[in-house]
Amino acid sequence: DIQMTQSPSSLSASVGDRVTITCRASQDISNYLAWYQQKPGKVPDLLIFAASTLQLGVPSRFSGSGSGTDFTLTISSLQPEDVATYYCQKYNSVLLSFGGGTKVEIK
Amino acid sequence: EVQLVESGGGLARPGGSLRLSCSASGFTFRNYAMHWVRQAPGKGLEYVSGTNSEGGGTYFADSVKGRFTISRDNSKNTLYLQMSSLRAEDMAMYYCVRDTYSYGYFDYWGQGTLVTVSS
């Protein structure tokens, strides 16, 4: 099975900072990667699919990149409403799985 | 408006069974693959099981294979998860999720139903 590893597991940054979260697949998954945002006490929301395509309604400060085994989620200017845990998810096969999550807090 | 409403959670004994249901509305249910994702208290997301739009293809995480079954009734717009031989580690919030055009990622999530496994 392909393992999805996110780093860091948590981070603290200031409002306006550029934040980068990494997701690494143990095997090539092409661009079959999605990112989700889960705010405290809420249900996850789809942010990005196909590694870099923003879901409708997602602010443009969010972006995704990568292909193969290494992927990044970037928040260009962190806002207070971005406090959440972010998860990557692979979907290159029927064996779907998530990364362990990255908790983002405001410093 | 797309709505996914889970039900059937509750308290089960170790080794017991529960059946979860997910009632869907606001979209053509029979056209979409559907899945269950769970989240243990304070933990991350874990994929559990899924089924294609017709219900003929089913998929399971290794952690539940052989103990859980998934099914759907497209005439009732309802997805099911039959859970048996429950373990303490199955205790979690179970979310019903819609698969975007059956590609494998999830554009709509229900609010979840909580499964507690305890003696």
Side-chain angles (χ1 to χ4, degrees):
Chain A
D1 292 1
I2 298 176
Q3 305 302 315
M4 305 301 294
T5 303
Q6 283 184 240
S7 60
S9 56
S10 65
L11 65 89
S12 182
S14 299
V15 172
D17 280 356
R18 183 180 184 90
V19 169
T20 298
I21 298 168
T22 297
C23 178
R24 176 163 289 173
S26 59
Q27 297 176 39
D28 189 340
I29 59 168
S30 185
N31 70 333
Y32 294 102
L33 187 95
W35 290 95
Y36 300 86
Q37 175 193 62
Q38 186 176 31
K39 295 183 178 181
K42 300 296 186 182
V43 168
D45 282 326
L46 177 65
L47 285 180
I48 287 169
F49 58 93
S52 61
T53 303
L54 244 61
Q55 174 71 341
L56 283 173
V58 173
S60 59
R61 64 180 179 274
F62 291 92
S63 64
S65 64
S67 183
T69 60
D70 294 316
F71 303 87
T72 58
L73 172 68
T74 299
I75 309 172
S76 61
S77 176
L78 186 67
Q79 300 301 304
E81 60 267 32
D82 301 335
V83 167
T85 301
Y86 294 84
Y87 296 93
C88 62
Q89 180 232 331
K90 74 164 190 75
Y91 56 96
N92 66 308
S93 75
V94 296
L95 298 175
L96 308 178
S97 64
F98 292 92
T102 297
K103 187 174 184 179
V104 174
E105 297 176 320
I106 300 290
K107 195 180 292 183
Chain B
E1 180 192 4
V2 171
Q3 285 199 313
L4 301 170
V5 180
E6 303 93 336
S7 60
L11 176 64
R13 304 294 188 203
S17 299
L18 277 178
R19 187 175 88 152
L20 307 184
S21 300
C22 170
S23 177
S25 61
F27 65 103
T28 306
F29 181 73
R30 65 178 180 273
N31 289 347
Y32 289 82
M34 298 292 296
H35 305 264
W36 292 95
V37 173
R38 69 184 180 185
Q39 187 169 34
K43 301 297 184 182
L45 301 173
E46 181 186 14
Y47 180 78
V48 175
S49 180
T51 177
N52 63 8
S53 59
E54 301 89 5
T58 58
Y59 324 104
F60 300 91
D62 286 344
S63 57
V64 307
K65 204 171 292 183
R67 300 187 298 121
F68 291 10
T69 59
I70 189 171
S71 61
R72 63 191 295 161
D73 186 336
N74 285 347
S75 69
K76 295 182 178 179
N77 293 343
T78 303
L79 177 73
Y80 303 100
L81 185 69
Q82 178 68 49
M83 306 186 295
S84 60
S85 303
L86 282 164
R87 305 167 179 168
E89 54 265 35
D90 296 319
M91 186 160 63
M93 183 72 79
Y94 284 72
Y95 297 106
C96 169
V97 299
R98 190 180 85 165
D99 192 327
T100 315
Y101 303 119
S102 301
Y103 286 149
Y105 56 91
F106 314 130
D107 58 355
Y108 284 94
W109 296 61
Q111 291 301 306
T113 187
L114 183 62
V115 171
T116 302
V117 182
S118 175
S119 54

